[in-house]
Coordinates of all heavy atoms in Angstrom, one line a residue:
A22 N -26.6 0.3 15.8 CA -25.5 0.2 14.8 C -26.1 -0.4 13.5 O -25.9 -1.6 13.2 CB -24.4 -0.7 15.3
T23 N -26.9 0.4 12.8 CA -27.6 -0.1 11.6 C -27.1 0.7 10.5 O -27.0 1.9 10.5 CB -29.1 0.1 11.7 OG1 -29.6 -0.6 12.9 CG2 -29.8 -0.4 10.5
P24 N -26.7 0.1 9.3 CA -26.2 0.8 8.2 C -27.2 1.8 7.6 O -28.4 1.7 7.8 CB -25.9 -0.3 7.1 CG -25.8 -1.5 7.9 CD -26.7 -1.4 9.1
V25 N -26.7 2.8 6.9 CA -27.5 3.8 6.3 C -28.5 3.0 5.4 O -28.1 2.1 4.7 CB -26.7 4.7 5.4 CG1 -27.6 5.7 4.6 CG2 -25.8 5.5 6.3
A26 N -29.7 3.4 5.3 CA -30.7 2.8 4.5 C -30.3 2.7 3.0 O -29.9 3.8 2.5 CB -32.1 3.5 4.6
P27 N -30.3 1.6 2.4 CA -29.8 1.4 1.1 C -30.6 2.2 0.1 O -31.8 2.2 0.1 CB -29.8 -0.1 0.8 CG -30.8 -0.6 1.7 CD -30.8 0.3 2.9
S28 N -29.9 2.8 -0.9 CA -30.6 3.5 -2.0 C -30.3 2.9 -3.3 O -30.9 3.3 -4.3 CB -30.2 5.0 -2.0 OG -28.9 5.2 -2.2
G29 N -29.3 2.0 -3.4 CA -28.9 1.4 -4.6 C -29.3 -0.1 -4.7 O -29.9 -0.6 -3.7
P30 N -29.0 -0.7 -5.8 CA -29.3 -2.2 -5.9 C -28.6 -3.0 -4.9 O -27.4 -2.8 -4.6 CB -28.9 -2.5 -7.3 CG -27.9 -1.4 -7.7 CD -28.3 -0.2 -6.9
Q31 N -29.3 -4.0 -4.3 CA -28.7 -4.9 -3.3 C -27.8 -5.9 -3.8 O -27.0 -6.5 -3.1 CB -29.8 -5.6 -2.5 CG -30.8 -4.6 -1.8 CD -30.0 -3.8 -0.8 OE1 -29.6 -4.3 0.2 NE2 -29.9 -2.5 -1.0
S32 N -27.9 -6.3 -5.1 CA -27.1 -7.4 -5.7 C -25.7 -7.0 -6.2 O -25.0 -7.8 -6.7 CB -27.9 -8.1 -6.8 OG -28.2 -7.1 -7.8
A33 N -25.4 -5.7 -6.2 CA -24.2 -5.2 -6.7 C -23.0 -5.8 -6.0 O -23.0 -6.0 -4.8 CB -24.1 -3.7 -6.7
S34 N -22.0 -6.2 -6.7 CA -20.8 -6.8 -6.1 C -20.0 -5.8 -5.3 O -19.9 -4.6 -5.6 CB -19.8 -7.3 -7.2 OG -18.6 -7.7 -6.7
C35 N -19.4 -6.3 -4.2 CA -18.6 -5.4 -3.4 C -17.3 -5.0 -4.0 O -16.7 -4.0 -3.7 CB -18.3 -6.2 -2.0 SG -19.7 -6.4 -1.0
E36 N -16.9 -5.8 -5.0 CA -15.6 -5.6 -5.7 C -15.7 -4.8 -7.0 O -14.7 -4.7 -7.7 CB -14.9 -6.9 -5.9 CG -14.7 -7.7 -4.6 CD -13.9 -9.0 -4.9 OE1 -13.6 -9.3 -6.0 OE2 -13.6 -9.7 -3.9
S37 N -16.8 -4.2 -7.2 CA -17.0 -3.3 -8.4 C -17.6 -2.0 -8.0 O -18.1 -1.9 -6.9 CB -17.8 -4.0 -9.5 OG -19.1 -4.3 -9.0
G38 N -17.6 -1.0 -8.8 CA -18.2 0.3 -8.6 C -17.2 1.3 -8.2 O -16.0 1.1 -8.1
A39 N -17.7 2.5 -7.9 CA -16.8 3.7 -7.6 C -16.1 3.5 -6.3 O -15.0 3.9 -6.1 CB -17.6 5.0 -7.6
V40 N -16.8 2.9 -5.3 CA -16.2 2.5 -4.0 C -16.3 1.0 -3.9 O -17.3 0.4 -4.1 CB -16.9 3.2 -2.9 CG1 -16.2 2.8 -1.5 CG2 -16.8 4.7 -3.0
R41 N -15.2 0.3 -3.6 CA -15.1 -1.1 -3.6 C -14.5 -1.6 -2.3 O -13.7 -0.9 -1.6 CB -14.2 -1.7 -4.8 CG -14.7 -1.3 -6.1 CD -13.8 -1.8 -7.2 NE -12.5 -1.1 -7.2 CZ -11.3 -1.7 -7.0 NH1 -11.3 -3.0 -6.8 NH2 -10.2 -1.0 -7.0
L42 N -14.9 -2.8 -1.9 CA -14.3 -3.5 -0.7 C -13.8 -4.8 -1.2 O -14.5 -5.6 -1.9 CB -15.4 -3.7 0.3 CG -14.9 -4.3 1.6 CD1 -15.8 -3.8 2.8 CD2 -14.9 -5.8 1.7
T43 N -12.5 -5.1 -0.9 CA -11.9 -6.3 -1.2 C -11.2 -7.0 0.0 O -10.9 -6.3 1.0 CB -10.8 -6.1 -2.3 OG1 -9.8 -5.3 -1.8 CG2 -11.4 -5.5 -3.6
Q44 N -11.1 -8.3 -0.1 CA -10.4 -9.1 1.0 C -9.5 -10.1 0.3 O -9.6 -11.3 0.6 CB -11.5 -9.9 1.7 CG -12.6 -9.0 2.3 CD -13.7 -9.9 2.9 OE1 -13.7 -10.3 4.0 NE2 -14.7 -10.1 2.0
D45 N -8.5 -9.6 -0.5 CA -7.7 -10.5 -1.3 C -6.3 -10.4 -1.0 O -5.4 -10.6 -1.9 CB -8.0 -10.2 -2.8 CG -7.7 -8.8 -3.2 OD1 -7.3 -8.0 -2.3 OD2 -7.8 -8.4 -4.4
F46 N -5.9 -10.2 0.3 CA -4.5 -10.1 0.7 C -4.2 -11.0 1.9 O -5.1 -11.5 2.5 CB -4.1 -8.6 1.0 CG -5.0 -8.0 2.1 CD1 -4.7 -8.1 3.4 CD2 -6.2 -7.3 1.7 CE1 -5.5 -7.5 4.4 CE2 -7.0 -6.7 2.7 CZ -6.7 -6.8 4.0
S47 N -2.9 -11.2 2.1 CA -2.6 -12.1 3.2 C -3.1 -11.6 4.5 O -3.0 -10.4 4.8 CB -1.0 -12.1 3.3 OG -0.6 -12.9 4.4
T48 N -3.7 -12.4 5.3 CA -4.4 -12.2 6.6 C -5.8 -11.8 6.5 O -6.5 -11.7 7.5 CB -3.7 -11.1 7.5 OG1 -4.1 -9.8 7.1 CG2 -2.2 -11.3 7.5
A49 N -6.3 -11.6 5.3 CA -7.7 -11.2 5.2 C -8.6 -12.4 5.1 O -8.4 -13.3 4.2 CB -7.9 -10.3 3.9
P50 N -9.7 -12.6 5.9 CA -10.6 -13.7 5.8 C -11.5 -13.4 4.5 O -11.5 -12.3 4.0 CB -11.5 -13.6 7.0 CG -10.9 -12.5 7.9 CD -10.0 -11.7 7.0
D51 N -12.2 -14.4 4.1 CA -13.1 -14.3 2.9 C -14.5 -14.3 3.4 O -15.2 -15.3 3.2 CB -12.8 -15.5 2.0 CG -13.6 -15.3 0.7 OD1 -14.0 -14.2 0.3 OD2 -13.8 -16.3 0.0
Y52 N -14.9 -13.2 4.1 CA -16.3 -13.1 4.6 C -17.3 -12.8 3.5 O -16.9 -12.1 2.5 CB -16.3 -12.1 5.7 CG -15.6 -12.4 6.9 CD1 -14.9 -11.3 7.6 CD2 -15.5 -13.6 7.5 CE1 -14.2 -11.6 8.8 CE2 -14.8 -13.9 8.7 CZ -14.1 -12.9 9.3 OH -13.4 -13.1 10.4
A53 N -18.5 -13.3 3.7 CA -19.6 -12.9 2.8 C -19.7 -11.3 2.9 O -19.8 -10.8 4.0 CB -20.9 -13.6 3.2
C54 N -19.8 -10.7 1.7 CA -19.9 -9.3 1.7 C -21.1 -8.9 0.8 O -21.4 -9.4 -0.2 CB -18.6 -8.7 1.0 SG -18.7 -6.8 0.9
E55 N -21.9 -7.9 1.3 CA -23.1 -7.4 0.7 C -23.0 -5.9 0.5 O -22.6 -5.2 1.5 CB -24.3 -7.8 1.5 CG -25.6 -7.2 0.9 CD -26.8 -7.4 1.8 OE1 -26.6 -8.2 2.8 OE2 -27.9 -6.9 1.5
R56 N -23.1 -5.4 -0.7 CA -23.2 -4.0 -0.9 C -24.6 -3.5 -0.5 O -25.6 -4.0 -1.0 CB -22.9 -3.6 -2.3 CG -22.9 -2.1 -2.6 CD -22.8 -1.8 -4.1 NE -21.4 -2.2 -4.5 CZ -20.4 -1.4 -4.4 NH1 -20.4 -0.2 -3.8 NH2 -19.2 -1.8 -4.9
T57 N -24.7 -2.5 0.4 CA -26.0 -2.0 0.9 C -26.2 -0.6 0.4 O -27.4 -0.1 0.6 CB -26.0 -2.0 2.4 OG1 -24.9 -1.2 2.9 CG2 -25.9 -3.4 3.0
D58 N -25.3 0.0 -0.3 CA -25.5 1.3 -0.9 C -24.2 1.5 -1.8 O -23.3 0.7 -1.9 CB -25.6 2.4 0.1 CG -26.3 3.7 -0.4 OD1 -26.5 3.7 -1.7 OD2 -26.6 4.6 0.4
D59 N -24.2 2.7 -2.5 CA -23.1 2.9 -3.4 C -21.7 2.8 -2.7 O -20.7 2.4 -3.3 CB -23.2 4.3 -4.1 CG -24.4 4.3 -5.0 OD1 -24.8 3.2 -5.5 OD2 -24.8 5.4 -5.4
A60 N -21.7 3.2 -1.5 CA -20.4 3.2 -0.7 C -20.6 2.6 0.7 O -20.0 3.1 1.7 CB -19.8 4.7 -0.6
A61 N -21.5 1.7 0.8 CA -21.8 1.0 2.1 C -21.8 -0.5 1.9 O -22.3 -1.0 0.9 CB -23.1 1.5 2.6
F62 N -21.3 -1.2 2.9 CA -21.1 -2.6 2.8 C -21.5 -3.3 4.1 O -21.4 -2.7 5.1 CB -19.7 -3.0 2.4 CG -19.1 -2.2 1.2 CD1 -18.5 -1.0 1.4 CD2 -19.3 -2.7 -0.1 CE1 -18.0 -0.3 0.3 CE2 -18.8 -2.1 -1.2 CZ -18.2 -0.8 -1.0
K63 N -21.8 -4.6 4.0 CA -22.0 -5.4 5.2 C -21.2 -6.7 5.1 O -21.3 -7.4 4.1 CB -23.4 -5.8 5.4 CG -23.7 -6.5 6.7 CD -25.1 -6.9 7.0 CE -25.5 -8.1 6.1 NZ -26.9 -8.6 6.6
L64 N -20.3 -6.9 6.1 CA -19.5 -8.2 6.2 C -20.1 -9.1 7.3 O -20.4 -8.6 8.4 CB -18.1 -7.9 6.5 CG -17.2 -7.2 5.5 CD1 -15.8 -6.9 6.0 CD2 -17.1 -8.1 4.2
T65 N -20.4 -10.3 6.9 CA -20.8 -11.3 7.9 C -19.6 -12.0 8.5 O -18.9 -12.7 7.8 CB -21.8 -12.3 7.3 OG1 -22.9 -11.6 6.7 CG2 -22.3 -13.3 8.3
V66 N -19.3 -11.7 9.8 CA -18.1 -12.1 10.4 C -18.3 -13.4 11.1 O -18.9 -13.5 12.2 CB -17.6 -11.1 11.4 CG1 -16.3 -11.5 12.1 CG2 -17.4 -9.7 10.7
L67 N -17.7 -14.5 10.6 CA -17.9 -15.9 11.1 C -16.5 -16.5 11.2 O -15.6 -16.3 10.4 CB -18.8 -16.7 10.2 CG -20.2 -16.3 10.2 CD1 -21.0 -17.1 9.1 CD2 -20.9 -16.6 11.6
P68 N -16.3 -17.4 12.2 CA -15.0 -18.1 12.4 C -14.8 -19.2 11.3 O -15.7 -19.6 10.7 CB -15.1 -18.6 13.8 CG -16.5 -19.0 13.9 CD -17.3 -17.8 13.2
E69 N -13.5 -19.6 11.3 CA -13.1 -20.7 10.4 C -13.8 -22.0 10.8 O -14.0 -22.9 10.0 CB -11.6 -20.8 10.3 CG -10.9 -21.2 11.6 CD -10.5 -20.0 12.5 OE1 -11.1 -18.9 12.2 OE2 -9.7 -20.2 13.4
D70 N -14.1 -22.2 12.1 CA -14.6 -23.4 12.6 C -15.6 -23.1 13.7 O -15.5 -22.0 14.4 CB -13.5 -24.4 13.2 CG -12.5 -24.8 12.2 OD1 -13.0 -25.5 11.2 OD2 -11.4 -24.5 12.3
P71 N -16.6 -23.9 14.0 CA -17.5 -23.6 15.2 C -16.8 -23.8 16.5 O -15.8 -24.4 16.6 CB -18.7 -24.6 14.9 CG -18.0 -25.7 14.2 CD -16.9 -25.1 13.3
D72 N -17.5 -23.4 17.5 CA -17.1 -23.6 18.9 C -15.6 -23.2 19.1 O -14.7 -24.0 19.4 CB -17.2 -25.1 19.3 CG -18.7 -25.6 19.2 OD1 -19.6 -24.8 19.5 OD2 -18.9 -26.7 18.8
I73 N -15.4 -21.9 18.9 CA -14.0 -21.4 18.9 C -13.9 -20.2 19.9 O -14.9 -19.6 20.2 CB -13.7 -20.9 17.5 CG1 -12.2 -20.8 17.2 CG2 -14.4 -19.6 17.1 CD1 -11.9 -20.6 15.8
N74 N -12.7 -20.0 20.4 CA -12.5 -18.8 21.2 C -13.0 -17.5 20.5 O -12.7 -17.3 19.3 CB -11.0 -18.7 21.5 CG -10.6 -17.4 22.3 OD1 -10.5 -16.4 21.8 ND2 -10.4 -17.6 23.6

Side-chain angles (χ1 to χ4, degrees):
T23 304
V25 175
S28 60
Q31 298 299 294
S32 60
S34 169
C35 293
E36 298 184 1
S37 62
V40 178
R41 300 178 290 119
L42 186 151
T43 62
Q44 306 170 86
D45 57 359
F46 54 90
S47 175
T48 79
D51 187 21
Y52 293 142
C54 179
E55 176 187 350
R56 182 186 293 275
T57 57
D58 203 349
D59 290 342
F62 309 88
K63 183 179 80 169
L64 291 175
T65 302
V66 182
L67 291 170
E69 63 272 15
D70 298 299
D72 301 322
I73 200 168
N74 178 279

